[in-house]
């Protein structure tokens, strides 16, 4: 799971860095894993300079933060990995940084799942959601990953869970009828990791 997200964050002031066009490289165990410019980001950095507060946490289960943090994500894909975001929102609201009545969630791949889950199961928290190549049904998605990439990826089951009823209960696709917030679904027709027909297209048809 080390390839699921970048390490960070690293904080600098706005006058120290041109965040609109900065090359970012990330090594894991001396192996270059990421090498790109911030101008190619799906979600760019301009929002903060225009008055938006951005909360971008490293979700529990992420690599690079120690064993305990990684294992804290076990079977929490549609549970604490999502309510952690709500805790972050509540903290920012308590500090007066944000208006809790004007919160949107956006993400890609796993982040897309979080956005779809937020819209379908936490609709009272988010006023809008944006999913880019997002996982809409994590039960069918993990079966696809194991089938395509091999049994080494059965580790994902530790995070998603192996109880079919519990997994189904947290599926944004199965809960699409409960959506209260408007949802923007964006996907690549060539995505082989998160097949659009079974995921993005399927939930877009239900919204």
């Amino acid at each position: 799971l080390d390839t699921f997200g970048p390490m960070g964050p690293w904080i600098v002031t706005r006058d120290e860095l041109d965040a609109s066009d900065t090359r970012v490289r990330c090594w894991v165990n001396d192996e270059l894993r990421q090498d790109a410019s911030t101008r190619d980001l799906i979600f760019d950095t301009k929002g903060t300079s225009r008055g938006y507060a951005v909360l971008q946490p490293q979700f529990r289960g992420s690599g690079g933060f120690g064993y305990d943090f990684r294992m804290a994500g076990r079977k929490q894909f549609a549970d604490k990995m999502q309510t952690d975001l709500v805790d972050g929102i509540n903290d920012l609201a308590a500090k007066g940084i944000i208006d809790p009545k004007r919160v949107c969630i956006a993400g890609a791949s796993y982040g897309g799942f979080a956005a779809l889950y937020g819209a379908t199961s936490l609709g009272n928290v988010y006023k809008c959601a944006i999913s880019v190549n997002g996982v809409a049904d994590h039960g069918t998605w993990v079966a696809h990953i194991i089938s395509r990439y091999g049994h080494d990826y059965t580790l994902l089951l530790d995070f998603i869970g192996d109880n079919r009823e519990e997994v189904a209960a947290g599926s944004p696709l199965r809960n699409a009828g409960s959506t209260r917030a408007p949802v923007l679904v964006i996907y690549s027709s060539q995505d082989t990791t998160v097949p659009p027909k079974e995921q993005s297209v399927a939930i877009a048809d239900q919204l």
Side-chain angles (χ1 to χ4, degrees):
L1 298 179
D2 286 338
T3 59
F4 273 32
M7 304 301 172
W10 190 268
I11 300 175
V12 295
T13 59
R14 188 168 61 183
D15 60 341
E16 293 180 286
L17 179 70
D18 177 13
S20 65
D21 189 8
T22 296
R23 184 181 184 187
V24 178
R25 291 181 291 174
C26 175
W27 286 265
V28 177
N29 298 328
D30 296 323
E31 180 183 347
L32 183 63
R33 295 287 185 89
Q34 295 178 319
D35 186 0
S37 171
T38 53
R39 70 175 180 271
D40 298 322
L41 289 173
I42 296 174
F43 304 109
D44 65 29
T45 57
K46 297 176 183 177
T48 52
S49 66
R50 297 179 181 178
Y52 291 94
V54 178
L55 172 64
Q56 190 174 355
Q58 290 286 358
F59 56 87
R60 63 171 68 208
S62 298
F65 297 91
Y67 178 84
D68 290 342
F69 186 82
R70 187 162 179 172
M71 290 299 102
R74 293 187 71 244
K75 300 184 179 181
Q76 302 301 318
F77 205 82
D79 194 353
K80 291 182 180 179
M81 285 168 69
Q82 309 311 319
T83 56
D84 285 346
L85 299 176
V86 180
D87 291 340
I89 291 168
N90 291 338
D91 181 67
L92 293 179
K95 293 175 180 176
I97 296 174
I98 65 166
D99 178 354
K101 297 179 180 180
R102 302 173 64 190
V103 177
C104 181
I105 182 169
S109 196
Y110 161 74
F113 172 85
L116 294 171
Y117 182 92
T120 56
S121 296
L122 301 171
N124 60 322
V125 176
Y126 303 107
K127 300 308 174 187
C128 65
I130 303 170
S131 169
V132 181
N133 295 337
V135 174
D137 187 85
H138 47 311
T140 58
W141 172 73
V142 73
H144 161 77
I145 290 295
I146 294 172
S147 173
R148 182 176 178 84
Y149 296 108
H151 289 284
D152 288 345
Y153 282 80
T154 52
L155 176 63
L156 285 170
L157 291 172
D158 280 344
F159 291 86
I160 289 176
D162 52 10
N163 185 304
R164 292 186 178 183
E165 291 183 0
E166 292 180 359
V167 171
S171 165
L173 180 60
R174 294 173 186 246
N175 295 317
S178 301
T179 306
R180 284 184 267 175
V183 180
L184 174 62
V185 177
I186 303 170
Y187 63 90
S188 166
S189 61
Q190 303 301 314
D191 191 343
T192 58
T193 301
V194 184
K197 183 177 180 180
E198 293 83 4
Q199 303 296 329
S200 294
V201 173
I203 195 167
D205 288 343
Q206 297 295 320
L207 293 173

